[in-house]
Amino acid sequence: MNKKKAGGIESFHPPRLYPDYKSTVLRAPHRPLILVPGIFDDAYGPVFGESEVGPDDHDLTKNGRRDGEPLGERMIVHGKVMDLNGKGIPNTLVELWQANSAGRYIHKVDQHDAPLDPNFLGAGRCLTDQEGCYLFYTIKPGAYPWGNHYNAWRPQHLHFSVFGRNISSRLVTQMYFPGDPLLLYDPIYESAPETTRHLMVADFDLDRTEPMFALGYKFDIVLNGRNESRFENR
Amino acid sequence: MKLPTPSQTVGPFFAYGLTPQQYGYDFSQWYNNKLIDPQQHDDSIIITGRVFDGNHDTVPDAMIELWQRDGECNLFGRVGTGTDPDHRFIFHTIKPRTDGTGAPFVTLILFMRGQLLHSYTRIYFEDESDLNKSDPVLLNVPESRRETLVARKQGSKYFFDIYMQGPNETVFFEIC
Ligand SMILES: [Fe+2]
């Protein structure tokens, strides 16, 4: 088991070994992780340019079209990527991937017996703006079954990958939907500490809902990483 | 102070979102396993290896990012282990220089199904044994485990296998 220091940033994340999520058993490191103060202080990593973003990269309702529109409930997902001080992180890459409205991934390994949507890829990306805000148009994904335990279903979710300012701010997470009854039964969601779990559940956002077009959801993302001040509270 | 959004696993189906061209999906990919164009650099190197789970099986669905900075170059690459028949990752890069404070190294981040939080490790180079002996980060690692962070050299290739568990378990660094 990995030892946890009170107040260490890892204590706000899931443990590496979480046997209710069976795949962690053979893949979580057994030995204590090595703590080297300062090892992640350098701000470095990819530098992103606006020019690389395709016009429909942020619009999953358009970027997979072949001969029509994707099926399902259209939605707008937006939010702010920020540091632990709440300061927005501009010009950082946000990547999104997800199942279609039937709960099926286009990935070749996904064998779930639900239809693919010929007009939906399920992948997108954007850069945050000067305030750290991002926005995607997409389709609400379906829940899907998985083999972790008997009658296991993943709650509806979007997968997010975010960079931030430095190597320790790197985050891969999932966004969930308010009121989903499956959250209670999902070991991946439940693996996160009670203090932070709810931060993965988006808020329904009527203000950003576009009349006659799409429902709005707000999902802010707070990244690790030492910036102006150290993380000292708990 | 805000609390951080907790990490979740990358899951088994990341490829069409994060490494689409490598896996043959119709979506452009910004970063791949070529941090430099090997045709343009006489001094290009290959860093290759596999990821082993606790059963000593190769992991076919990991995504690995290579972050490299040495004061002169700031390079980034990303590859999945699912397209090579032996589940190898292969990066084309140039060898980092020392930044003056320690031995040259690159950082790897591993993401995979079964990891709720990604893992950070470093690759040092076998042919830098003098600098490795005085590297401040390596000196923080118990001596018996330092070898797990050193890539073996053969020609212009460096070999670096990653063991999640077992007697040769790779050293991973805590996020701080
Ligand atoms: Fe998923």
Side-chain angles (χ1 to χ4, degrees), chain A residues 97-99 105 144 154-155 157-159 174 188, chain B residues 9-13 16:
Chain A
W97 72 103
Q98 60 166 100
Y105 286 93
Y144 60 84
R154 293 299 328 282
H157 61 276
L158 308 180
H159 293 266
Q174 299 183 24
I188 294 182
Chain B
T9 182
V10 77
F13 305 134
Y16 67 94

Side-chain angles (χ1 to χ4, degrees), chain B residues 27-61:
Chain B
F27 191 54
S28 69
Q29 182 174 335
W30 286 7
Y31 299 99
N32 58 26
N33 69 330
K34 291 189 175 64
L35 288 76
I36 48 98
D37 178 355
Q39 314 292 342
Q40 305 281 329
H41 292 263
D42 295 341
D43 53 346
S44 71
I45 62 166
I46 284 174
I47 299 177
T48 182
R50 293 161 295 175
V51 183
F52 292 92
D53 70 11
N55 278 343
H56 209 79
D57 291 325
T58 52
V59 171
D61 55 2

Side-chain angles (χ1 to χ4, degrees), chain A:
Chain A
M1 284 286 237
N2 306 307
K3 67 172 188 268
K4 291 251 181 277
K5 300 179 322 315
I9 194 81
E10 289 208 6
S11 65
F12 297 103
H13 291 282
R16 290 165 189 276
L17 178 64
Y18 190 77
D20 286 354
Y21 172 27
K22 297 214 169 82
S23 307
T24 64
V25 173
L26 289 173
R27 292 180 166 197
H30 277 176
R31 310 231 189 155
L33 271 61
I34 306 288
L35 179 70
V36 183
I39 189 176
F40 294 123
D41 279 4
D42 261 0
Y44 74 97
V47 177
F48 306 108
E50 189 74 49
S51 58
E52 295 172 284
V53 187
D56 290 332
D57 279 9
H58 74 293
D59 190 342
L60 288 73
T61 71
K62 290 187 179 147
N63 70 20
R65 283 193 198 186
R66 300 206 185 282
D67 54 11
E69 285 197 63
L71 294 176
E73 195 175 303
R74 276 190 295 259
M75 59 177 200
I76 295 150
V77 180
H78 75 99
K80 182 168 152 183
V81 177
M82 61 186 101
D83 65 21
L84 293 166
N85 297 321
K87 191 163 183 297
I89 303 177
N91 203 45
T92 201
L93 176 62
V94 181
E95 293 164 286
L96 165 66
W97 72 103
Q98 60 166 100
N100 68 20
S101 60
R104 176 79 188 266
Y105 286 93
I106 205 165
H107 194 290
K108 289 157 186 138
V109 189
D110 186 3
Q111 298 298 320
H112 175 33
D113 181 21
L116 285 170
D117 185 333
N119 294 303
F120 190 71
L121 172 70
R125 73 182 140 230
C126 68
L127 295 176
T128 55
D129 67 14
Q130 285 317 300
E131 274 71 56
C133 296
Y134 72 90
L135 182 145
F136 290 101
Y137 287 93
T138 187
I139 298 288
K140 193 173 190 184
Y144 60 84
W146 61 309
N148 189 68
H149 55 273
Y150 172 71
N151 213 5
W153 290 78
R154 293 299 328 282
Q156 294 167 301
H157 61 276
L158 308 180
H159 293 266
F160 274 85
S161 161
V162 193
F163 279 79
R165 291 199 188 98
N166 118 358
I167 195 164
S168 65
S169 62
R170 188 79 178 87
L171 178 72
V172 168
T173 189
Q174 299 183 24
M175 181 199 107
Y176 300 96
F177 291 87
D180 190 332
L182 290 172
L183 289 174
L184 267 178
Y185 306 99
D186 180 41
I188 294 182
Y189 173 74
E190 292 274 312
S191 71
E194 262 184 89
T195 47
T196 54
R197 214 179 271 167
H198 64 282
L199 300 173
M200 298 186 289
V201 181
D203 290 322
F204 173 65
D205 188 346
L206 188 62
D207 289 337
R208 292 300 287 268
T209 292
E210 293 188 16
M212 314 303 284
F213 185 69
L215 294 175
Y217 289 91
K218 182 167 167 40
F219 180 55
D220 287 339
I221 299 171
V222 183
L223 301 180
N224 300 332
R226 295 228 295 251
N227 299 306
E228 293 81 12
S229 59
R230 284 176 167 234
F231 199 73
E232 283 166 346
N233 67 336
R234 97 135 287 171

